Amino acid sequence: MLGAEEAALVRGVWQKVESAKDEMGEETLTRMFLVYPKTKTYFPHFDLHHGSEQIRNHGKKVVTALGNAIQNLDNLRQTLADLSNLHAYNLRVDPVNFKLLAQCFQVVLAVHLGQEYTPEVHVAFDKFLTAVAAVLAEKYR
Ligand code: HNI
């Protein structure tokens, strides 16, 4: 799990990007669908064209869930329990996809933070997103 300094770094960065979080969600999903087209197979019921309202809304949900997780870093398993059940039992998202989304999110974060996306921020977010993915993938066993 994240050390105290890493947790502080993640929280600090989140405050900086919070006002752009809707855009970041949309950008992350748009990037994921473009770079890893197979991820689109989970969204056959979505309009996946550029600028789609469904992508924007879904991006908001994903980023809001991440923000919520950041407020509860010490209690991720409980915080993400419903989402963990949903992704494992209902959606059956192959866990490899969590890494793809995480990577796209990192790129979007870097674009928004510029110089402030330091290697330390990169590491801290990598650990955070890995922890989130681990919880979301837990129920598959
Ligand atoms: Ni995910 C629904 C959060 C990764 C496919 N997902 C959600 C919802 C949240 C969410 C929040 C909305 C739940 C609700 O309505 O109650 N998803 C997250 C988070 C991650 C993640 C935090 C990883 C960090 N989801 C993924 C990945 C895929 C994915 C990698 C597939 C590539 N998610 C879905 C699908 C839905 C979904 C499909 C349902 C969408 C809908 O509205 O029909």
Side-chain angles (χ1 to χ4, degrees), residues 29 32-33 38-40 42-46 58 60-66 80 83 86-87 91 93-102 129 132-133 136:
L29 292 178
M32 182 179 78
F33 294 142
K38 281 186 184 166
T39 57
K40 292 195 280 189
Y42 293 98
F43 298 88
H45 53 306
F46 268 39
H58 188 65
K60 269 188 215 177
K61 287 187 198 170
V62 173
V63 176
T64 300
L66 290 177
L80 296 170
L83 281 181
L86 180 76
H87 286 78
L91 301 170
V93 172
D94 186 322
V96 296
N97 293 290
F98 297 131
K99 288 196 180 63
L100 306 181
L101 190 143
L129 294 167
V132 169
L136 291 186

Side-chain angles (χ1 to χ4, degrees), residues 90-140:
N90 298 50
L91 301 170
R92 298 177 186 276
V93 172
D94 186 322
V96 296
N97 293 290
F98 297 131
K99 288 196 180 63
L100 306 181
L101 190 143
Q103 197 219 71
C104 292
F105 183 77
Q106 290 268 20
V107 173
V108 169
L109 196 58
V111 168
H112 281 260
L113 285 175
Q115 294 290 335
E116 292 182 84
Y117 184 76
T118 60
E120 289 77 15
V121 169
H122 187 161
V123 173
F125 262 86
D126 191 48
K127 285 198 182 178
F128 165 62
L129 294 167
T130 300
V132 169
V135 174
L136 291 186
E138 220 169 41
K139 303 279 166 66
Y140 288 77

Side-chain angles (χ1 to χ4, degrees), residues 25-75:
E26 183 177 16
E27 287 164 22
T28 299
L29 292 178
T30 300
R31 188 174 280 271
M32 182 179 78
F33 294 142
L34 261 163
V35 181
Y36 303 109
K38 281 186 184 166
T39 57
K40 292 195 280 189
T41 57
Y42 293 98
F43 298 88
H45 53 306
F46 268 39
D47 166 18
L48 296 180
H49 292 102
H50 195 74
S52 150
E53 194 61 25
Q54 275 177 311
I55 294 186
R56 189 169 175 84
N57 283 336
H58 188 65
K60 269 188 215 177
K61 287 187 198 170
V62 173
V63 176
T64 300
L66 290 177
N68 189 28
I70 288 171
Q71 303 307 319
N72 294 282
L73 288 175
D74 297 330
N75 199 9

